[in-house]
Amino acid sequence: MRLLPVLLLALTACPQKPMGTGTPPERFCPYGPGCEKGNGDTLKVGIAAVKVTPRGFERPRPDFLRRSGDTCHEKAPLGSDGQRRCGGLVEGAFGEDCGVDRKCPGSAGYVRPDADGSEADGKPDFFFDCGRDQKCPGEAGYLGPDADGSENDGKFQGLWMAGFGNSNPAYGVLDDVWARAVVFENGDVSVALVSVDAVGLFYEDVGRVRDRVTKRGMGVPDYVLVSSTHTHESVDTMGQWGPIRAVLPERGVDDAWLRDVFIEGAAQAVGEAMLSARPAKAFSAQVPLGEKTRQVIEDTRDPWISDDTITVLKFTEAQGGAVIGSLVVWGNHPETLADVNNLISSDFVHFTREGLERGVFKKDGSLVAQGLGGTCVYFSGSVGGLMTSLGAKPTSVDGDVPGDRSIAKTKAVGDLIAIAALEGLASAAEEQAPNVAFGAQTVKLPIDNETFRLLLLPGVDIIRRGLVDFDRNKSISPENVPFVRTEVSKVQLGGVRFIGVPGEIFPELVVGFDARYAFGKPLLTAGNRLPPDLSKAPPGPYLNAQAGGEKPVVLGLANDELGYIVPEYDYVLHPTRPYAQQPEGDHYEETNSLGPRTTPTLLSAFKALFAWEPAP
């Protein structure tokens, strides 16, 4: 297999003694276009949060959800039998026309046609066809048919949950999802870091956010980085989690909401953060969770390695010390509610942010940890490999161990991270020289994954990405491979070095393979039929060590979602069905990656990124 040439040379931070080495990246500051003067004497910080929760969508009937009873969480909707119902749609939901009672002539328990006329009416029964306002005739607040014609039209104007299979419809909202932005300014250099509650955003949609920021004209930073929290408990923003009626899934994104609410909300958050920026002080800390890591994380792929570090920053007004807000980075999949959830949520991220802002409380209302005030912005770190709260056993602030897939467990995970971050800030150091710098450049990556190729073919409207270096009029071959364009980046705020990784990177590529990152767990699981050969693991220095700075930290899913960034030494494909089916052992991640050329290309790109230094 031919190797992709390294297409990327890029930045590090503004150095004390600029060397001017290497080839400059496409975009960099200071001393780049628009920021020639560099940093001054005053750091400014602004933070803003905009709700992007989808509201106008039709709901499924609970009786058509596959799971019931104790498998559902404590706020799942009730079915007609009084049992909690949750999860994906029952088999045959799209084709049934037996009425809302799901009983057809000849089936057990059938008595007569449904009184509402829903049986054999030629319309699907699995949802309330009440329109996007969710108000049916006869219900409180009903004012008439929806103006857009969505009521009683026989079409499902609903939303699809992301991350745990297809045909899992959203029923309601558990907690709001957000676009939150923090802006750093110093001299004529400005950077916005944006966190969105989404399973992921493609590079093309990040470009749309940037375009909206420019068009809104509320203040345009020199650089905008957009990172997804990767919550699996909100709706599809990428396309592949829609319903499957035939062989391929339908596109699962509500494109009007994505365009007019989600992307617009992210741009609005940047604009409002820019307008609110004022002289500030920054305090930073990196908090190791240590043995507590095993309470909140399970590593489902060998080797058992987790980056246990929580990076936390607090921003206060330079005069008076009023809290502006905080920033937290941690690496774990926000998927505690798993596949039994139909309520839109940011998962444990919600409780972490609440804890930083308002404090952590027990069930009886007693205070456990005092909040900071202001607005908290949360970023996911290295979550690949696979870091998950599923299977973990956190102890709540009330002293109990909540059950799996419960809201109580979600709060327990979020509270633990919030408390650790707050404790770390108690001894946080002020950034005495808060220089602001960034660098970014695009890179092209081949799509070797046949499944991804299928989803991106012309005429297949599932995943919308631009393809480069590919002739659509010719069949795919070694000489005609589709590529995607993505972006790597690095942002500096004083001693903190943010590493923008465009996907789900394995923690061992970030911190290394030392057994101390297993926290008492064996690196390899007994009985693993195809374990990684650790003798072939790449030597250091690893990504954090290469980045430099006092506090390096990965921002995962930054400016793109490429899928899993799998270490090259342990990239194993199924012998007869590459990508479509994982081989024995724990090799799921390969099926959701671009291919084996992704990781070496990105790591080479980052090496160049960290080596380049601008000259004034």
Side-chain angles (χ1 to χ4, degrees):
M1 182 178 293
R2 65 181 176 85
L3 296 177
L4 178 69
V6 176
L7 300 168
L8 170 62
L9 288 172
L11 136 112
T12 102
C14 173
Q16 297 297 317
K17 295 181 179 180
M19 296 192 305
T21 60
T23 302
E26 291 174 347
R27 286 173 289 170
F28 66 93
C29 276
Y31 317 126
C35 51
E36 292 84 356
K37 297 179 182 178
N39 287 177
D41 297 325
T42 303
L43 171 69
K44 293 183 179 180
V45 175
I47 299 181
V50 175
K51 291 180 183 178
V52 292
T53 314
R55 299 290 181 185
F57 59 94
E58 291 183 318
R59 298 172 296 149
R61 295 182 184 273
D63 285 351
F64 284 80
L65 300 178
R66 187 180 303 122
R67 298 173 182 262
S68 65
D70 293 340
T71 59
C72 302
H73 64 67
E74 54 269 52
K75 291 190 178 181
L78 295 174
S80 60
D81 59 358
Q83 293 288 309
R84 298 284 181 190
R85 304 288 303 193
C86 60
L89 292 172
V90 296
E91 187 175 353
F94 298 105
E96 284 186 9
D97 195 6
C98 299
V100 297
D101 67 358
R102 300 198 60 216
K103 296 186 183 298
C104 282
S107 62
Y110 181 80
V111 178
R112 64 181 64 88
D114 295 62
D116 63 359
S118 57
E119 184 179 312
D121 62 353
K123 296 181 179 180
D125 302 315
F126 72 87
F127 66 98
F128 298 102
D129 197 1
C130 300
R132 290 181 178 271
D133 68 358
Q134 299 184 351
K135 301 289 185 183
C136 285
E139 291 184 347
Y142 181 77
L143 299 175
D146 293 60
D148 64 0
S150 57
E151 183 179 313
N152 198 31
D153 63 351
K155 299 177 182 179
F156 182 48
Q157 280 93 14
L159 300 171
W160 302 101
M161 304 293 285
F164 282 101
N166 298 85
S167 303
N168 187 4
Y171 182 84
V173 176
L174 182 61
D175 55 82
D176 282 307
V177 290
W178 298 81
R180 298 177 178 225
V182 55
V183 167
F184 311 132
E185 295 184 59
N186 196 336
D188 66 345
V189 182
S190 57
V191 176
L193 302 181
V194 187
S195 172
V196 291
D197 288 326
V199 71
L201 274 189
F202 290 130
Y203 180 62
E204 289 80 359
D205 286 320
V206 171
R208 294 181 181 99
V209 172
R210 292 167 172 170
D211 289 344
R212 291 285 185 92
V213 169
T214 301
K215 291 177 181 178
R216 289 180 67 88
M218 296 171 66
V220 183
D222 296 305
Y223 184 61
V224 176
L225 180 150
V226 183
S227 172
S228 299
T229 62
H230 198 49
T231 175
H232 281 35
E233 310 305 335
S234 191
V235 298
D236 192 354
T237 49
M238 296 170 62
Q240 63 263 48
W241 287 286
I244 298 178
R245 302 175 198 258
V247 178
L248 292 176
E250 297 177 7
R251 179 168 168 80
V253 178
D254 183 328
D255 289 300
W257 165 77
L258 181 68
R259 178 188 66 242
D260 299 333
V261 178
F262 195 89
I263 290 175
E264 180 65 28
Q268 181 183 342
V270 173
E272 291 181 1
M274 286 289 289
L275 291 177
S276 70
R278 61 267 203 197
K281 294 181 179 180
F283 302 83
S284 66
Q286 288 194 310
V287 185
L289 271 182
E291 291 300 318
K292 292 182 181 179
T293 301
R294 291 171 55 183
Q295 282 195 45
V296 287
I297 285 181
E298 277 293 335
D299 187 348
T300 61
R301 174 172 172 145
D302 289 344
W304 212 110
I305 295 288
S306 174
D307 181 1
D308 69 320
T309 301
I310 300 170
T311 299
V312 57
L313 290 87
K314 179 178 72 172
F315 308 103
T316 65
E317 293 181 353
Q319 299 297 322
V323 173
I324 299 170
S326 55
L327 182 157
V328 179
V329 188
W330 184 53
N332 198 5
H333 270 67
E335 59 180 16
T336 318
L337 294 174
D339 58 346
V340 302
N341 179 46
N342 301 87
L343 302 181
I344 294 166
S345 170
S346 60
D347 203 71
F348 67 74
V349 174
H350 166 71
F351 293 104
T352 296
R353 292 187 300 224
E354 288 273 296
L356 266 293
E357 294 171 355
R358 303 177 187 179
V360 178
F361 297 86
K362 292 184 177 181
K363 292 177 183 177
D364 63 6
S366 58
L367 181 68
V368 177
Q370 182 73 47
L372 298 173
T375 299
C376 177
V377 186
Y378 178 98
F379 293 88
S380 282
S382 49
V383 301
L386 186 155
M387 303 296 102
T388 180
S389 53
L390 298 179
K393 302 294 181 185
T395 299
S396 77
V397 293
D398 291 285
D400 61 330
V401 179
D404 284 336
R405 295 170 168 81
S406 66
I407 297 170
K409 178 180 174 180
T410 306
K411 182 178 185 300
V413 175
D415 285 351
L416 191 150
I417 302 309
I419 292 169
L422 289 166
E423 290 175 347
L425 282 175
S427 57
E430 181 181 353
E431 294 293 337
Q432 296 294 332
N435 289 339
V436 176
F438 76 88
Q441 183 151 348
T442 57
V443 58
K444 292 185 290 184
L445 293 169
I447 305 174
D448 294 317
N449 188 322
E450 293 102 337
T451 303
F452 284 8
R453 290 176 178 179
L454 179 62
L455 298 179
L456 287 163
L457 284 176
V460 180
D461 186 25
I462 299 173
I463 295 177
R464 296 177 181 172
R465 292 209 68 154
L467 300 180
V468 295
D469 293 350
F470 176 62
D471 189 340
R472 293 175 179 268
N473 297 315
K474 297 180 180 178
S475 60
I476 296 174
S477 67
E479 291 73 36
N480 189 39
V481 175
F483 283 69
V484 292
R485 195 182 306 276
T486 191
E487 180 174 310
V488 294
S489 58
K490 181 176 178 180
V491 172
Q492 176 192 7
L493 175 63
V496 182
R497 305 286 179 92
F498 298 101
I499 308 164
V501 179
E504 301 170 59
I505 192 167
F506 282 35
E508 52 264 39
L509 294 174
V510 177
V511 299
F513 293 78
D514 195 296
R516 72 177 183 272
Y517 296 114
F519 310 103
K521 290 265 192 174
L523 286 175
L524 302 179
T525 305
N528 187 341
R529 291 180 290 176
L530 197 57
D533 183 352
L534 295 182
S535 69
K536 298 180 180 178
Y542 302 101
L543 202 58
N544 271 357
Q546 292 178 30
E550 299 169 5
K551 300 180 181 73
V553 56
V554 161
L555 301 183
L557 296 97
N559 298 326
D560 207 346
E561 166 57 313
L562 296 174
Y564 291 105
I565 300 172
V566 182
E568 187 180 15
Y569 82 101
D570 190 36
Y571 202 105
V572 182
L573 297 175
H574 190 274
T576 60
R577 300 186 64 193
Y579 303 106
Q581 185 174 332
Q582 68 186 65
E584 63 179 358
D586 297 322
H587 290 277
Y588 154 76
E589 287 79 9
E590 286 91 328
T591 68
N592 277 280
S593 69
L594 291 183
R597 293 185 277 179
T598 296
T599 298
T601 303
L602 285 178
L603 292 181
S604 294
F606 275 115
K607 187 175 182 179
L609 176 78
F610 302 142
W612 190 84
E613 296 185 354

